[in-house]
Amino acid sequence: MFVPPFSERLPAPACDDRVALVMVATGNQQGTAEHRRLAGYKAVADELLPFMRSRGHLHHLVFRDRTAASAVVVAESGGEVVLGGATFRLLLLPAAWLAEAEGEMAAPVRSERDTRMHNAQPVLCMDILATAVAQRRGACGCGHGTRLVNYLKAHLLSEAKRRRALPVLLTQSDDGPQALAFWHKQGLEASAGASACVARLSGSDGKSHIVYDYSVPMLAIGEAAVRSVKPGESTRAQEDLDLELENLEISGEVERGGDVKRTILKKG
């Protein structure tokens, strides 16, 4: 069921004038650039996803799990600064695996191209296990979460083409409205079918496929799973962050000049 996160060498980084996105495999030695990037991402995730730290679960996924890999968002600011990342697995599944999900999904009808792909090809599912993006002045509301997911989608599309498989994107979103809206914007839908997919994976291997509390399974199939979304600025997110920081400073929880507030995009 699990397949290596990379069928060949690691994909090239994706860069724009704001950040670079880099794929990192597990099992790196301490002191290497790869290990430092994973450590920076995990530091962000430790604050945003504390429930995943239980029994070393998050540490295992990020550093040791050979079936998983991570995409990391980095920026240059007098040196490399890690803004967050996402951890995922790839699963190669028979076409019949989607039958139950497609029967219950409240989603648009598949395109003719997706129908042909489904009838002839297996399924390559990218299961996004964790996503954490730091939210701070100069980074919050800048579209880095969308850049990260676009990078994952590009990798999924490349791997699906190599394996001649139908691309599917699966995640367990935090149940908050902002997280749900974020993943909906990325093309994923919450449905009974998405829940059935998560339950089926958990039923086959409950140790590897954990169903998280306070989460909402979301799914995208075919073209929707790999469609790029244009990153955008969110003035509201920046204003909300400034307000929350101001309240923390008034209450004495943040020292002068402190820039520590972060928010969760997803739990998974």
Side-chain angles (χ1 to χ4, degrees), residues 1 3 90-99 102 117-118 120-126 156 160 163-169 219-222:
M1 184 179 294
V3 294
L90 293 180
L91 302 97
L92 190 62
L93 304 162
W97 183 82
L98 278 180
E102 291 191 301
M117 291 173 68
H118 175 272
Q121 297 171 313
V123 170
L124 185 67
C125 176
M126 175 180 279
L156 172 60
R163 302 174 189 276
R164 298 185 177 182
L166 176 72
V168 169
L169 197 61
L219 183 71
I221 300 173

Side-chain angles (χ1 to χ4, degrees), residues 81-256:
V81 178
V82 177
L83 300 180
T87 301
F88 68 93
R89 290 190 183 114
L90 293 180
L91 302 97
L92 190 62
L93 304 162
W97 183 82
L98 278 180
E100 181 179 353
E102 291 191 301
E104 301 202 30
M105 280 189 70
V109 176
R110 287 180 291 132
S111 69
E112 181 180 350
R113 178 175 178 273
D114 283 349
T115 300
R116 293 197 306 270
M117 291 173 68
H118 175 272
N119 290 338
Q121 297 171 313
V123 170
L124 185 67
C125 176
M126 175 180 279
D127 186 7
I128 301 180
L129 306 166
T131 306
V133 178
Q135 302 292 280
R136 62 190 185 201
R137 292 187 180 110
C140 179
C142 295
H144 297 327
T146 296
R147 289 181 175 89
L148 178 61
V149 176
N150 283 343
Y151 189 49
L152 293 176
K153 287 178 175 179
H155 179 58
L156 172 60
L157 177 60
S158 176
E159 291 290 330
K161 286 182 176 179
R162 285 192 180 99
R163 302 174 189 276
R164 298 185 177 182
L166 176 72
V168 169
L169 197 61
L170 178 68
T171 195
Q172 295 181 63
S173 170
D174 185 87
D175 62 0
Q178 290 183 336
L180 293 171
F182 171 81
W183 287 108
H184 178 74
K185 179 182 177 182
Q186 310 310 314
L188 285 78
E189 297 289 342
S191 66
S195 297
C197 288
V198 170
R200 180 176 296 183
L201 290 174
S202 178
S204 65
D205 184 355
K207 184 176 180 180
S208 298
H209 301 283
I210 297 175
V211 179
Y212 297 108
D213 295 333
Y214 311 108
S215 66
V216 178
M218 300 186 74
L219 183 71
I221 300 173
E223 292 180 354
V226 295
R227 185 180 301 118
S228 179
V229 176
K230 183 179 179 180
E233 300 283 335
S234 174
T235 303
R236 178 180 176 182
Q238 297 170 14
E239 292 174 346
D240 288 347
L241 175 64
D242 288 340
L243 179 60
E244 291 187 36
L245 282 172
E246 181 179 341
N247 291 336
L248 287 172
E249 289 168 356
I250 291 173
S251 68
E253 295 182 33
V254 177
E255 296 179 359
R256 183 182 302 274

Side-chain angles (χ1 to χ4, degrees), residues 62-77:
V62 173
F63 289 107
R64 297 180 179 175
D65 191 335
R66 297 289 181 165
T67 68
S70 298
V72 179
V73 186
V74 297
E76 288 293 331
S77 180

Side-chain angles (χ1 to χ4, degrees), residues 254-268:
V254 177
E255 296 179 359
R256 183 182 302 274
D259 233 3
V260 300
K261 179 62 181 176
R262 295 182 173 92
T263 193
I264 298 174
L265 285 182
K266 132 152 204 335
K267 98 191 197 182

